[in-house]
Amino acid sequence: MLKRMSIRKIMVSTLALFVLLLLYLIPDSDNREINLKTDNIEYIYTNSVLPIYLLASNDYVARTTIATCKCDSLNTARDLVDGLIVDGKKSEIIPNGFKPIIPAGTSILNIDLEDGVLTIDFSKELLDINEKYEEKMIESIIFTLTSIKGIDRVIIEVEGEVLKKLPISGKILPD
């Protein structure tokens, strides 16, 4: 008797849920299709997304992407380096969990691209970095810039002089 009543209650509640599900899934007749006419509107997207190498939360240099201009290799390089500078022009679009590594106040004095070799001249603020991060900063700059199509090598200069060794540790940088 008790078993029969339990089965009956389960059957009735299952049937009620099934009917509610059907009513929910059947569209009502008030839904109408909306036609949007976009004959005269043209959308132009002027940004592209390129890889950039930033300092991750675990203090490793990691790859992420940010929006940059659709321009030539030289201006793209300048734009991406702005994303590497602490409190730079692109600091508000850096993804969560990542942070720029080039010291604040650093500016690009000159940038030149010739035969796949990018020469970038930074201000002396580039040298104001903690010893723990100086090698990671160079890696970040090199990896970011060589990811741009048309750039095969990077020469880093500080105030017009080629950076041949790291400023604090003195580690020699390869050509």
Side-chain angles (χ1 to χ4, degrees), residues 21-94:
L21 178 67
L22 284 177
L23 290 175
Y24 179 72
L25 292 177
I26 296 174
D28 49 337
S29 61
D30 291 339
N31 290 342
R32 295 193 175 109
E33 189 174 314
I34 299 173
N35 292 327
L36 297 176
K37 295 183 179 183
T38 58
D39 296 336
N40 297 331
I41 299 174
E42 181 179 340
Y43 296 99
I44 299 173
Y45 186 67
T46 59
N47 287 338
S48 63
V49 178
L50 289 176
I52 186 170
Y53 291 82
L54 298 167
L55 203 58
S57 58
N58 56 5
D59 278 349
Y60 288 115
V61 175
R63 179 182 173 168
T64 186
T65 56
I66 63 170
T68 61
C69 65
K70 274 190 178 176
C71 43
D72 62 333
S73 297
L74 204 57
N75 289 323
T76 302
R78 183 181 297 273
D79 199 39
L80 285 177
V81 170
D82 284 337
L84 294 174
I85 299 173
V86 175
D87 298 330
K89 297 174 187 172
K90 295 211 169 247
S91 61
E92 59 275 346
I93 65 167
I94 299 295

Side-chain angles (χ1 to χ4, degrees), residues 82-131:
D82 284 337
L84 294 174
I85 299 173
V86 175
D87 298 330
K89 297 174 187 172
K90 295 211 169 247
S91 61
E92 59 275 346
I93 65 167
I94 299 295
N96 288 338
F98 293 93
K99 57 186 175 184
I101 192 167
I102 297 177
T106 304
S107 61
I108 300 171
L109 302 177
N110 189 22
I111 189 166
D112 185 41
L113 179 62
E114 193 172 309
D115 296 328
V117 178
L118 181 83
T119 304
I120 186 163
D121 189 8
F122 289 102
S123 62
K124 64 182 177 185
E125 288 82 10
L126 182 78
L127 304 177
D128 298 335
I129 190 159
N130 187 339
E131 182 178 359

Side-chain angles (χ1 to χ4, degrees), residues 151-166:
I151 298 176
D152 301 321
R153 293 182 54 220
V154 177
I155 298 173
I156 300 173
E157 295 180 351
V158 177
E159 301 280 333
E161 294 187 29
V162 176
L163 188 66
K164 295 186 179 197
K165 62 180 182 173
L166 295 176

